[in-house]
Amino acid sequence: SLHAANHGLRNQPTNMNNAIISKLATLFQIRTVNYRIQGDMHPEIAAQFHMEYTLKLIKGQEKYAEQIINEHIEDALKYREQIALGIY
């Protein structure tokens, strides 16, 4: 889909390296699946809004971007476990 093609990022900063862009793509995919599992009618759009939140956090502290994204990936995977257990 269009959203998947740009990793859920409409206004992607141009100064991000490939590792960070790749991690953002991974985060977007995890979040999309999480929303899909929860039965969201528009999982890509929900994930897109969630990605905007992550990008706002990164803005102004780019040197921590990878660390922030790694934490968000970890959180999204933990959240998926909670969804599976029905405790979200």
Side-chain angles (χ1 to χ4, degrees):
S1 77
L2 177 63
H3 293 290
N6 68 3
H7 318 311
L9 307 175
R10 284 190 304 258
N11 307 309
Q12 185 172 302
T14 52
N15 62 340
M16 289 197 178
N17 67 39
N18 288 338
I20 290 172
I21 291 168
S22 175
K23 283 176 190 270
L24 286 169
T26 298
L27 179 58
F28 178 67
Q29 289 167 342
I30 294 167
R31 285 176 169 168
T32 299
V33 170
N34 285 0
Y35 283 112
R36 190 170 289 130
I37 292 169
Q38 286 182 274
D40 194 289
M41 297 291 289
H42 304 285
E44 287 88 2
I45 294 170
Q48 165 90 34
F49 282 116
H50 211 154
M51 295 304 294
E52 299 289 336
Y53 164 75
T54 298
L55 287 176
K56 279 190 184 108
L57 284 180
I58 292 169
K59 200 165 275 191
Q61 46 183 356
E62 279 81 6
K63 64 182 173 181
Y64 302 114
E66 208 159 343
Q67 183 184 333
I68 291 167
I69 298 163
N70 285 341
E71 287 170 9
H72 284 207
I73 288 172
E74 209 175 296
D75 289 346
L77 290 172
K78 280 182 195 163
Y79 186 64
R80 182 173 302 167
E81 290 173 26
Q82 293 177 332
I83 295 169
L85 295 171
I87 53 173
Y88 58 94

